[in-house]
Amino acid sequence: MPKLLVTLPDGSEVTHELTEDVVTVGRVSDNTVQIEDASVSSHHAELTLRGVDYVLKDLHSTNGTRLNGQQVPGDEEHQLQADDRVRFGNIEATYASENAAEQRPLPVEDEPVAVPAAESTRPANFANASPFQTKKKKKDPAGTALMGLAALAVLTFGAALAVVLQMKSPL
């Protein structure tokens, strides 16, 4: 019997046995599988029994459904196999089936295409060519005022000391 093992945000795992022909997944209580999480839409996805395993369909959910890391477009059906990882919003789930999964090919990456620029101009300077960001000095008015007051205090102390040293003793 197929199962859906849902991992909740607190780390606990809940197992849902899939016994009906159509299983709905969502946040509200009228779903077959209810997942109370803000990232799960009220009616998030639908699992339909086709043969011995279920087919996954996203119901145009807000935060989307992912199957083995790939986004599932709305209303597009995907056949589930044993140990498939399904993500409803931020909630991880694993599809467990008694039927062995078929060998799946690795996803093919798109080959990047290098296109030369039509024209190029020499930069005025290479200030932005460094991979390291430079720290811009911030103006600190409070620090500047504090340094000014300190300088004024030192000058006042020096002037007072000079006046005291020039005084003649009355004796």
Side-chain angles (χ1 to χ4, degrees), residues 98-112:
E98 297 166 351
N99 305 315
E102 296 175 13
Q103 186 76 17
R104 291 181 224 153
L106 292 173
V108 179
E109 286 190 38
D110 295 333
E111 192 67 32

Side-chain angles (χ1 to χ4, degrees), residues 121-151:
T121 58
R122 183 169 187 253
N125 62 18
F126 288 93
N128 63 348
S130 173
F132 305 106
Q133 292 188 5
T134 57
K135 290 185 177 178
K136 300 204 182 217
K137 295 198 177 201
K138 297 179 184 175
K139 297 196 178 208
D140 184 16
T144 306
L146 190 62
M147 291 301 283
L149 282 171

Side-chain angles (χ1 to χ4, degrees), residues 15-36:
T15 302
H16 297 277
E17 291 189 6
L18 306 177
T19 57
E20 299 178 17
D21 289 343
V22 177
V23 176
T24 57
V25 179
R27 191 177 64 243
V28 295
S29 62
D30 65 345
N31 290 291
T32 312
V33 176
Q34 182 182 8
I35 304 172
E36 294 181 22

